Amino acid sequence: MKIEKSNSQLVPQKMTNWQGREEWFFNREYTDTYEEYYEGPYKRAEVWQKKILENLIVKDQRVKTLLEFGCGTTRFTRWWKDIGIEATGGDISPFMLSQALHRFDGDLVMADSHYLPFKNNSFDAMAFITTFEYYKNPIQVIQEAARVARYGIVFGMMNRNTPKLIRRRTQQAFGRNNFYTTATFYTPKKLIELIHQALPNHKFTIEWRTTGLPKWFPVQEWNLPLGDFFGLYVKFENKE
């Protein structure tokens, strides 16, 4: 019996596109080296990003469980337990999740953040860490997050108000950085406007902090909208 080699792929070609466009997180050239990026040039930035996210969410002592969507390889998902929060991870990319399975000992789900496969109030909070920038329908994603999260939503965002924006777009123009090709960069003000638009009938407060400032700068986090990264927490009031 002759065995023929199959030309089928683990992920069919049509699945390399999401939301009608090619995305880097369906390309193993990028997903296989994702963790190396954090262990290399992004290490210092990650430390400060986690500091501001922790300072924002631990103030809400109601939060004990969290769903992080766009969890990728679970770089941040693995960290939530360090601040006393039990995390679950979700992502649309099978390549990212295949790595997550070997790195994270919690629950994982493969799904689209526009259509979360969870009942109302399934988790105390939801988190989007450097993933919200890739959603074509951010209003729908925010509404889904508010449905699934009981007490709040935390965002970790690449800030538009940074000198690095010019570098990012220049790299894209010369085909040197495909991570940001489909990304929409927000400012704290713009994200807050979207949240109010998405949740007109919710009562909530918002707090945010910015980091990603130069090493030589006298502070590394502040409440001005300048810096490479900002964390923002939407705290729901009296939501059942």
Side-chain angles (χ1 to χ4, degrees), residues 31 92 95 132:
T31 60
I92 191 68
F95 298 131
F132 190 82

Side-chain angles (χ1 to χ4, degrees), residues 29-43:
E29 177 183 352
Y30 305 112
T31 60
D32 285 1
T33 59
Y34 188 77
E35 287 278 332
E36 295 176 15
Y37 182 65
Y38 271 102
E39 288 297 333
Y42 211 58
K43 189 66 177 178

Side-chain angles (χ1 to χ4, degrees), residues 171-207:
Q171 288 174 334
Q172 278 180 237
F174 288 93
R176 295 179 55 197
N177 190 336
N178 291 320
F179 285 102
Y180 304 131
T181 301
T182 58
T184 298
F185 298 111
Y186 295 89
T187 63
K189 179 180 178 182
K190 180 60 178 177
L191 180 58
I192 290 170
E193 289 175 356
L194 280 178
I195 293 166
H196 280 282
Q197 184 180 345
L199 306 176
N201 299 318
H202 287 67
K203 293 182 179 181
F204 54 83
T205 58
I206 292 177
E207 185 178 357

Side-chain angles (χ1 to χ4, degrees), residues 201-233:
N201 299 318
H202 287 67
K203 293 182 179 181
F204 54 83
T205 58
I206 292 177
E207 185 178 357
W208 58 270
R209 299 281 287 175
T210 308
T211 186
L213 298 155
K215 290 182 180 180
W216 51 262
F217 206 68
V219 297
Q220 289 301 308
E221 60 172 296
W222 58 5
N223 276 112
L224 295 177
L226 301 174
D228 295 334
F229 180 94
F230 69 89
L232 183 148
Y233 184 57

Side-chain angles (χ1 to χ4, degrees), residues 9 13 32 44 46-47 64 88 94 102 104 115 133 155 171 181 184 186 189 201 204 208 220-221 225 227:
Q9 298 173 299
Q13 185 63 38
D32 285 1
R44 176 180 173 274
E46 179 189 18
V47 170
K64 303 300 180 183
T88 296
H102 299 284
F104 181 58
Y115 308 96
E133 296 86 344
F155 297 85
Q171 288 174 334
T181 301
T184 298
Y186 295 89
K189 179 180 178 182
N201 299 318
F204 54 83
W208 58 270
Q220 289 301 308
E221 60 172 296

Side-chain angles (χ1 to χ4, degrees), residues 9-234:
Q9 298 173 299
L10 176 63
V11 180
Q13 185 63 38
K14 65 180 181 180
M15 284 188 65
T16 60
N17 289 1
W18 182 51
Q19 305 179 127
R21 62 194 186 190
E22 292 187 5
E23 299 286 6
W24 68 265
F25 38 85
F26 280 112
N27 186 330
R28 288 195 60 176
E29 177 183 352
Y30 305 112
T31 60
D32 285 1
T33 59
Y34 188 77
E35 287 278 332
E36 295 176 15
Y37 182 65
Y38 271 102
E39 288 297 333
Y42 211 58
K43 189 66 177 178
R44 176 180 173 274
E46 179 189 18
V47 170
W48 281 101
Q49 290 171 10
K50 288 178 176 177
K51 283 183 179 180
I52 65 169
L53 292 172
E54 177 181 0
N55 290 339
L56 288 171
I57 200 167
V58 297
K59 293 179 181 178
D60 191 347
Q61 297 183 358
R62 302 172 300 174
V63 176
K64 303 300 180 183
T65 63
L66 176 146
L67 171 64
E68 182 187 337
F69 233 84
C71 68
T73 61
T74 66
R75 185 73 190 188
F76 279 78
T77 322
R78 304 192 298 267
W79 164 76
W80 295 108
K81 66 180 181 181
D82 294 344
I83 59 173
I85 297 174
E86 179 185 349
T88 296
D91 205 289
I92 191 68
S93 168
F95 298 131
M96 285 294 207
L97 287 175
S98 66
Q99 293 192 49
L101 286 170
H102 299 284
R103 301 174 184 274
F104 181 58
D105 59 3
D107 293 330
L108 295 167
V109 62
M110 181 176 170
D112 187 328
S113 53
H114 296 79
Y115 308 96
L116 295 174
F118 296 99
K119 296 180 180 179
N120 295 354
N121 301 325
S122 292
F123 299 88
D124 293 338
M126 274 208 61
F128 300 100
I129 311 301
T130 63
T131 187
F132 190 82
E133 296 86 344
Y134 297 95
Y135 299 138
K136 287 182 70 174
N137 191 339
I139 296 294
Q140 184 175 342
V141 172
I142 293 171
Q143 290 171 341
E144 274 290 89
R147 179 183 66 80
V148 172
R150 182 179 291 106
Y151 300 129
I153 310 171
V154 61
F155 297 85
M157 305 285 290
M158 294 178 282
N159 192 10
R160 184 176 177 83
N161 288 341
T162 172
K164 288 187 178 180
L165 179 65
I166 298 173
R167 186 184 71 182
R168 292 169 185 166
R169 293 312 189 194
T170 301
Q171 288 174 334
Q172 278 180 237
F174 288 93
R176 295 179 55 197
N177 190 336
N178 291 320
F179 285 102
Y180 304 131
T181 301
T182 58
T184 298
F185 298 111
Y186 295 89
T187 63
K189 179 180 178 182
K190 180 60 178 177
L191 180 58
I192 290 170
E193 289 175 356
L194 280 178
I195 293 166
H196 280 282
Q197 184 180 345
L199 306 176
N201 299 318
H202 287 67
K203 293 182 179 181
F204 54 83
T205 58
I206 292 177
E207 185 178 357
W208 58 270
R209 299 281 287 175
T210 308
T211 186
L213 298 155
K215 290 182 180 180
W216 51 262
F217 206 68
V219 297
Q220 289 301 308
E221 60 172 296
W222 58 5
N223 276 112
L224 295 177
L226 301 174
D228 295 334
F229 180 94
F230 69 89
L232 183 148
Y233 184 57
V234 182

